[in-house]
Amino acid sequence: MDYYVFLLLSSVWYIIPAYIANAMACVFGGGTPLDGGKNFVDGRRLIGNGVTIKGTISGITCGVIGSILQYFVGNYFNFDWMMFLNAGLTQYVILGLLLSSGALFGDMFGSFVKRRFNISQGGSAPLWDQLTFIVFALIFGYFYIPVSVNMAILLILLSPIVHLVSNIIAYKLGIKKVWW
């Protein structure tokens, strides 16, 4: 298999739980904000209404479920590009938990920084919105199953495109109020 095809497939396989968590937090979110409506020392909201308890729990749960499905799919098909061929279910669950938590922590961090710059909830922050979730997912996952520099670079370049396309789809389906 061509190196670049292998790199693309194995990179996407690795990060699937983070993508799932990020999307499902939006799909199943709503309700009580994670920050409890509290303000930071600057008088602005800590994170905002967009990051909710329900969305965070749902996103992480769905990301872990996705990693469990990856385990079974990986064991059934056993393709070379499925990088964890020798990993057990426990390793998939732990990695899924770390990647999902990292992705949602990255979203929270992104929201926190946007509030500091007085960007309202749903306000656009090009690239910032698309990169914080993937960078933190990679950091959280790195401490358990690290990726190569090439994989990290590819995912950082690929994720804004995936993020934008998925947001446009969510907007068209009425799940999001803005297309970005």
Side-chain angles (χ1 to χ4, degrees):
M1 176 182 293
D2 179 69
Y3 170 75
Y4 295 106
V5 173
F6 178 86
L7 178 67
L8 176 64
L9 292 174
S10 59
S11 297
V12 170
W13 184 255
Y14 177 87
I15 208 67
I16 283 174
Y19 284 166
I20 291 171
N22 195 45
M24 294 300 107
C26 177
V27 170
F28 295 116
T32 307
L34 192 62
D35 66 8
K38 305 253 188 274
N39 291 337
F40 193 57
V41 295
D42 61 5
R44 295 185 184 108
R45 281 292 294 277
L46 193 59
I47 300 173
N49 290 332
V51 180
T52 65
I53 294 170
K54 187 171 123 183
T56 302
I57 292 169
S58 297
I60 293 170
T61 301
C62 289
V64 171
I65 290 169
S67 69
I68 292 168
L69 292 174
Q70 279 184 287
Y71 168 77
F72 289 109
V73 169
N75 279 333
Y76 182 78
F77 289 105
N78 204 21
F79 292 127
D80 290 343
W81 51 267
M82 295 176 174
M83 28 179 311
F84 316 95
L85 294 176
N86 296 322
L89 180 59
T90 302
Q91 286 84 8
Y92 269 88
V93 169
I94 292 169
L95 183 63
L97 178 63
L98 290 170
L99 292 172
S100 299
S101 299
L104 296 185
F105 181 83
D107 277 343
M108 288 177 228
F109 178 75
S111 293
F112 174 81
V113 171
K114 285 171 66 173
R115 299 302 89 80
R116 307 295 65 81
F117 284 98
N118 211 24
I119 299 172
S120 64
Q121 177 189 325
S124 180
L127 291 181
W128 184 256
D129 288 329
Q130 293 80 24
L131 292 177
T132 53
F133 92 94
I134 198 67
V135 168
F136 278 92
L138 289 169
I139 290 169
F140 278 43
Y142 183 83
F143 292 105
Y144 188 63
I145 298 179
V147 295
S148 69
V149 171
N150 288 345
M151 286 178 74
I153 290 169
L154 177 63
L155 288 169
I156 288 169
L157 293 174
L158 181 66
S159 291
I161 297 164
V162 171
H163 194 271
L164 183 61
V165 170
S166 62
N167 281 348
I168 291 170
I169 292 169
Y171 173 72
K172 295 280 187 188
L173 292 174
I175 297 168
K176 287 191 67 149
K177 293 179 184 172
V178 294
W179 62 269
W180 61 83

